[in-house]
Amino acid sequence: VQLQASGGGLVQAGGSLRLSCTVSGTIFDINDMEWYRQVPGKQREWVATYDRRGGTNYQDSVQGRFTISRDNFKKTVYLQMNNLKPEDTAVYYCRAQILLSSELPYNSDYWGQGTLVTVSS
């Protein structure tokens, strides 16, 4: 099972980017899908969650600017980032809670490789 993230890049403040993260491999189901970000030298921080039932939740600093969405058929989660600010500069990681088999009673955590977002002022 692998998560492949893409969509990062360099953008000016006020601009937009859309990140994607796709799950590949043999799985039974996907529960929560999330985005995190990390600035070098700092801890990785949670950004947004799209849960199995369609609920979403955001870190306060991105509320109203970022939108998380999900395509279950494509096994893909997206992060639409608008009105980007220099403080949004970070490596963005996706995370998925995956049920590998119907016979397993627990989810397994998988992370994508990260995609760099740089916002210039």
Side-chain angles (χ1 to χ4, degrees), residues 19-66:
L19 306 183
S20 300
C21 176
T22 299
V23 177
S24 63
T26 302
I27 64 171
F28 180 73
D29 201 4
I30 305 173
N31 288 299
D32 292 359
M33 300 186 82
E34 300 179 301
W35 287 97
Y36 286 73
R37 65 187 181 186
Q38 188 170 23
V39 175
K42 294 189 176 181
Q43 284 193 328
R44 189 171 299 185
E45 64 175 10
W46 167 79
V47 175
T49 298
Y50 197 113
D51 68 30
R52 185 69 179 88
R53 292 165 291 185
T56 59
N57 202 10
Y58 299 92
Q59 182 194 110
D60 287 347
S61 69
V62 307
Q63 181 78 45
R65 299 188 297 122
F66 290 10

Side-chain angles (χ1 to χ4, degrees), residues 23-115:
V23 177
S24 63
T26 302
I27 64 171
F28 180 73
D29 201 4
I30 305 173
N31 288 299
D32 292 359
M33 300 186 82
E34 300 179 301
W35 287 97
Y36 286 73
R37 65 187 181 186
Q38 188 170 23
V39 175
K42 294 189 176 181
Q43 284 193 328
R44 189 171 299 185
E45 64 175 10
W46 167 79
V47 175
T49 298
Y50 197 113
D51 68 30
R52 185 69 179 88
R53 292 165 291 185
T56 59
N57 202 10
Y58 299 92
Q59 182 194 110
D60 287 347
S61 69
V62 307
Q63 181 78 45
R65 299 188 297 122
F66 290 10
T67 302
I68 189 170
S69 60
R70 175 171 169 169
D71 185 327
N72 290 325
F73 181 75
K74 294 182 178 180
K75 295 187 288 185
T76 298
V77 63
Y78 305 96
L79 187 67
Q80 177 66 44
M81 306 184 293
N82 298 329
N83 191 21
L84 282 160
K85 303 177 180 180
E87 52 264 41
D88 294 319
T89 295
V91 177
Y92 283 71
Y93 297 88
C94 55
R95 174 184 178 222
Q97 296 179 347
I98 294 174
L99 189 60
L100 296 176
S101 166
S102 60
E103 298 179 1
L104 290 174
Y106 55 86
N107 296 313
S108 298
D109 270 351
Y110 286 88
W111 291 85
Q113 84 285 5
T115 183

